[in-house]
Amino acid sequence: MSAQFQIHKDTIDQVSQRADIVDIVSERVVLRKSGANFRGACPFHNGTNATALTVNPSRQMYHCFNCGAAGGAVKFLMEIDKRSFSDVVLDLAKRYNVPIQTVEPEKAKEIQRQISHRDRLYEVMALTTSFYQHALYAPQGREALAYLSEKRQMSKETIQKFQLGYAPAGWETLMGYLVQQKQIPMKLVEEAGLIVPRKTGNGFYDRFRDRLMIPIHDTRGRVIAFGGRSLGDEEPKYLNSPETELFSKGTVLFAMDKARDEIAKSDQAIVVEGYFDAIALHQAGIGQALATMGVALNADQMKQLLRYTESKNVILNFDADKAGITAAEKAIAGFKELVFNGTVQLRVLTMPNGKDADEYLKQHSAEAYRDLLKNAPLFLDWQIDQILAGQDLNQADRFQKSSQAIAQLLNNLPVDSFFRTHYIHTSAQKLSQGNSYLALRLEQDLRRQLRNTRWNSNKPAPSLTTTTNALHIAETQLLQIYLHFPQHRAYLYQEIAEEENVEFTQSNHRYLWQTILNLLQANKTSLAAEEPYPDHLVQQLQILCAEKEDVAQQLQHLLWLDENSRIGLLRPQIVVRTAIAKIQYIMCEKHEKDWLSKYQTVDVIANPEFGYECQAKIKEARQRKAEIRKQIEVNYLDLSGTGTSTSEKNIIEF
């Protein structure tokens, strides 16, 4: 619905007064109390900071300190749903029982008609749900009820929780109930997707007949569609509602309304392929499960799901047979980029003996299933295993095919990603089948192949801007120089100590730097150019990190310097100056955005002094950014004056 009228100011004011920002934001974001405010992950960018978004209930405002998004309840819904101001205000007016007035009073009746149309569709779906539930316990639903309770082993509580029902076998049973008994207009029932026009002649017939009915809910728990499973040999086995004003298959995940709180609590989402897998998991007490309804997950659905898991932890649990593996690969295809760039921590769980989750839980405990979840491999490990499955690597053609497929897979990883280094190493180990000499040669070959292939990304190269990737590169370069170029340690240490706004923001980098400072304080290392023996500091750190497997993996790209990285650091002092300048630039840009956001969200007319302060801070940050950019350009000239290689150019580019 798109409003073609002007809403009266009184209605807008009342909506603004009654709408609760915490209620509205918490429907889309997991919020946690933090003093007088609430905090959560920002839904407007792909950041992983679970406290970036602040929601202030007293001021009825939200603000993200990373991307600068800010505003009130109306703006939040406009931005997140991409809807017009009028449409959002009308929905909120309905939600909070605010009388609707327009600048042109004669249009008020038309507005109310548009709003009530969606309400009536929801009412039709609710009536249909009750009808199907009643039919399940009637004599005609005996077979469907037996299927649920005996074959599927569902409890009465689960059947009621998911509002499962039965569509009678007659051609016009539901239509007769809705149209004749409940006096629902035929047109409205058709718009709800419940009846279908006859191909010959006039009239309609029920879309769902002699099927077990599974209601599909939106995130607010309202029924918006149905999935129907045939009880006999009728095809298709599963039949879903068509696209309607209420239902769009590409935006809905089955059981999301029931799973989101448990996803937030467990910090984990389990995505299964079928309705009954999700229902069985909920019945077993594993409430973070939801289903894809037979379609590939897309990036928008995944981003919607990631709002509820702080660590972005998603486990894909499809059948282990060939069809299930194909379905898993299809499901992943729509959001692969989110996996490769680290936005999603995706794991793939394939069940023993080719079972699905529903079958497995009939024979095993919920605890056994949880153990499987704990051991589910990351997507890349799973994908590599799929490539190698059934291949005789002793045969040259099979070996070549497998190694090329792995190289093509790893080429999706960003060049600077430590995951790429890790998987090059582990892939070489698997391909070598335990031959350590061959493993070293294969690792070199894989690196060479990937160096000669451009990173498979459609994104443009990032510019001089506040990005996690830019910080990661700059901080990585500083730490690599400190670890592997002892003659420059004193210089680097002094530069970091003396410069403003220079700190390690990445958690693994911060951990490593603090560990180095602790070793310095304990006199177990020094800033001297000469070490007691080669790689003295690196070996100490490797021993310390070996006790923490996850930390060791995250620091592998720092503790071990590959050929490309060493070439890129051949002029360490210039690299240090450039990296520090990049970090300072990013921090200045962040300060500028913070002050700009404050200026835009605070009433500067009522508080002019604060407005002047904001303007001064913004100007100061912009001037400092210009100075830093000049310094970076000078560093670039220093490099280019000696004949800049491609690797050297990458040093000063974000």
Side-chain angles (χ1 to χ4, degrees):
M1 177 182 66
S2 181
Q4 304 295 325
F5 43 78
Q6 187 174 352
I7 301 173
H8 198 282
K9 183 178 180 297
D10 290 348
T11 298
I12 297 171
D13 290 344
Q14 287 187 57
V15 166
S16 300
Q17 290 170 14
R18 295 192 195 181
D20 187 334
I21 188 71
V22 176
D23 283 348
I24 289 167
V25 175
S26 64
E27 289 182 351
R28 312 300 184 91
V29 177
V30 178
L31 295 178
R32 292 174 174 82
K33 195 83 165 72
S34 177
N37 298 327
F38 292 82
R39 291 185 180 275
C42 179
F44 299 110
H45 69 285
N46 290 330
T48 57
N49 186 348
T51 61
L53 184 75
T54 297
V55 179
N56 186 322
S58 62
R59 295 179 58 201
Q60 288 293 301
M61 299 285 288
Y62 68 90
H63 175 235
C64 175
F65 289 98
N66 286 348
C67 70
V74 173
K75 186 177 179 185
F76 180 85
L77 292 174
M78 287 173 62
E79 292 294 326
I80 203 164
D81 291 334
K82 307 301 180 189
R83 302 177 65 200
S84 70
F85 174 81
S86 297
D87 285 353
V88 170
V89 170
L90 287 175
D91 275 357
L92 290 175
K94 170 180 164 298
R95 176 170 175 171
Y96 291 101
N97 297 316
V98 174
I100 298 168
Q101 302 178 54
T102 67
V103 175
E104 303 172 75
E106 64 274 10
K107 290 191 175 182
K109 188 176 292 186
E110 174 60 19
I111 299 169
Q112 195 60 50
R113 189 198 68 77
Q114 292 181 35
I115 294 174
S116 64
H117 182 71
R118 284 180 67 89
D119 285 343
R120 295 194 73 189
L121 284 174
Y122 284 121
E123 180 186 356
V124 170
M125 300 306 283
L127 282 170
T128 303
T129 303
S130 297
F131 175 82
Y132 289 151
Q133 285 181 290
H134 178 77
L136 180 66
Y137 292 96
Q140 57 192 332
R142 189 179 296 113
E143 182 184 350
L145 184 58
Y147 175 85
L148 290 174
S149 58
E150 296 172 15
K151 184 172 182 179
R152 293 290 182 175
Q153 297 180 14
M154 286 187 190
S155 66
K156 290 182 180 179
E157 292 75 18
T158 298
I159 293 172
Q160 291 173 359
K161 176 182 177 181
F162 284 88
Q163 296 180 284
L164 304 180
Y166 170 70
W171 287 85
E172 299 180 357
T173 310
L174 176 67
M175 184 171 63
Y177 171 74
L178 293 175
V179 176
Q180 296 174 16
Q181 292 189 36
K182 295 298 180 180
Q183 301 296 305
I184 305 293
M186 188 84 74
K187 183 64 174 174
L188 198 64
V189 179
E190 182 188 12
E191 289 179 15
L194 299 171
I195 56 176
V196 180
R198 295 185 182 278
K199 294 180 180 178
T200 57
N202 298 323
F204 296 82
Y205 60 90
D206 292 351
R207 180 180 297 276
F208 301 102
R209 303 174 308 281
D210 191 26
R211 286 181 179 267
L212 182 66
M213 299 305 294
I214 306 155
I216 299 166
H217 300 79
D218 63 12
T219 54
R220 292 173 64 179
R222 299 173 296 190
V223 177
I224 56 174
F226 292 96
R229 187 195 189 282
S230 65
L231 294 170
D233 298 328
E234 185 181 354
E235 293 293 336
K237 186 176 180 180
Y238 284 93
L239 176 66
N240 287 331
S241 292
E243 301 269 317
T244 68
E245 186 175 339
L246 302 181
F247 176 61
S248 175
K249 188 183 292 187
T251 62
V252 179
L253 290 167
F254 175 73
M256 174 64 90
D257 60 311
K258 299 171 181 65
R260 63 181 189 176
D261 290 343
E262 188 60 31
I263 291 172
K265 183 179 176 181
S266 64
D267 194 22
Q268 177 190 80
I270 304 169
V271 182
V272 293
E273 189 176 8
Y275 299 118
F276 288 111
D277 288 328
I279 295 172
L281 286 168
H282 278 262
Q283 179 168 276
I286 303 170
Q288 64 268 38
L290 39 85
T292 60
M293 298 191 296
V295 296
L297 280 169
N298 56 51
D300 289 338
Q301 284 176 310
M302 182 53 68
K303 288 176 181 177
Q304 177 191 138
L305 175 58
L306 294 180
R307 293 171 190 157
Y308 302 106
T309 164
E310 187 173 321
S311 62
K312 315 303 180 189
N313 184 17
V314 178
I315 298 178
L316 196 65
N317 178 195
F318 281 8
D319 296 355
D321 58 14
K322 186 175 180 180
I325 290 171
T326 302
E329 292 174 340
K330 179 183 176 184
I332 293 164
F335 62 93
K336 265 189 177 180
E337 188 175 338
L338 298 178
V339 177
F340 289 128
N341 67 22
T343 300
V344 184
Q345 302 303 313
L346 180 69
R347 296 179 182 273
V348 181
L349 171 60
T350 51
M351 311 298 293
N353 303 319
K355 297 181 182 296
D356 57 30
D358 185 23
E359 291 173 326
Y360 183 84
L361 288 168
K362 287 182 175 65
Q363 301 173 12
H364 301 83
S365 66
E367 198 57 41
Y369 182 85
R370 289 192 177 93
D371 288 338
L372 293 177
L373 292 176
K374 292 175 185 176
N375 296 316
L378 286 167
F379 164 72
L380 279 169
D381 293 292
W382 176 82
Q383 191 74 68
I384 290 168
D385 287 342
Q386 294 303 310
I387 291 171
L388 297 177
Q391 298 294 335
D392 182 359
L393 297 179
N394 293 317
Q395 296 187 29
D397 58 337
R398 299 288 182 90
F399 180 88
Q400 183 180 22
K401 180 181 178 182
S402 298
S403 59
Q404 287 176 345
I406 289 175
Q408 185 177 1
L409 174 69
L410 299 187
N411 189 52
N412 288 287
L413 292 171
V415 175
D416 307 300
S417 169
F418 64 86
F419 282 117
R420 183 158 162 154
T421 299
H422 168 76
Y423 280 108
I424 289 173
H425 176 73
T426 57
S427 298
Q429 294 290 329
K430 290 182 178 182
L431 285 166
S432 71
Q433 302 181 84
N435 185 326
S436 57
Y437 174 75
L438 179 59
L440 290 173
R441 292 294 303 272
L442 287 171
E443 193 165 337
Q444 291 176 345
D445 288 344
L446 277 173
R447 292 183 192 284
R448 192 176 299 112
Q449 286 185 61
L450 294 175
R451 277 202 304 272
N452 294 332
T453 308
R454 188 174 182 178
W455 175 36
N456 182 23
S457 174
N458 295 323
K459 291 184 176 181
S463 60
L464 203 62
T465 185
T466 305
T467 64
T468 302
N469 186 51
L471 281 171
H472 177 80
I473 294 172
E475 293 176 13
T476 294
Q477 290 171 340
L478 292 177
L479 289 169
Q480 285 177 333
I481 288 172
Y482 190 95
L483 292 173
H484 301 283
F485 296 82
Q487 65 272 32
H488 297 288
R489 282 179 188 163
Y491 167 73
L492 191 153
Y493 181 91
Q494 184 177 358
E495 287 291 302
I496 292 177
E498 292 180 355
E499 292 291 341
E500 294 181 1
N501 291 331
V502 176
E503 58 184 28
F504 292 101
T505 61
Q506 311 285 295
S507 59
N508 56 333
H509 295 166
R510 193 163 55 246
Y511 172 86
L512 183 62
W513 184 244
Q514 187 58 52
T515 303
I516 292 170
L517 295 179
N518 292 342
L519 290 173
L520 282 170
Q521 189 173 4
N523 294 320
K524 294 183 178 180
T525 184
S526 71
L527 299 175
E530 296 292 330
E531 292 188 294
Y533 54 84
D535 292 329
H536 173 252
L537 174 58
V538 172
Q539 288 186 28
Q540 287 188 81
L541 292 170
Q542 287 173 337
I543 292 170
L544 289 171
C545 293
E547 300 173 2
K548 301 180 179 180
E549 184 178 351
D550 57 334
V551 173
Q553 289 183 356
Q554 292 180 21
L555 298 179
Q556 188 175 6
H557 67 299
L558 299 170
L559 299 177
W560 182 82
L561 199 63
D562 62 25
E563 182 183 354
N564 272 353
S565 298
R566 190 173 292 279
I567 291 173
L569 301 173
L570 286 179
R571 305 192 69 190
Q573 288 191 329
I574 295 178
V575 175
V576 168
R577 292 203 306 267
T578 306
I580 287 176
K582 288 179 182 179
I583 294 172
Q584 290 176 321
Y585 186 97
I586 290 170
M587 292 300 104
C588 282
E589 192 164 58
K590 183 178 183 301
H591 293 324
E592 178 190 353
K593 285 185 177 181
D594 288 347
W595 282 105
L596 184 61
S597 177
K598 292 176 183 178
Y599 185 73
Q600 291 172 340
T601 56
V602 172
D603 187 353
V604 294
I605 297 176
N607 190 355
E609 291 183 1
F610 184 74
Y612 295 141
E613 181 185 4
C614 289
Q615 291 177 335
K617 293 290 185 181
I618 293 168
K619 182 178 179 181
E620 178 183 338
R622 288 175 177 171
Q623 289 175 340
R624 179 63 180 140
K625 279 169 56 183
E627 294 169 3
I628 295 171
R629 183 180 282 276
K630 287 181 181 178
Q631 180 59 50
I632 293 175
E633 291 171 354
V634 169
N635 293 344
Y636 175 79
L637 291 174
D638 287 345
L639 283 171
S640 61
T642 59
T644 311
S645 68
T646 303
S647 297
E648 289 171 328
K649 287 180 180 178
N650 289 336
I651 295 170
I652 50 81
E653 291 176 353
F654 277 72

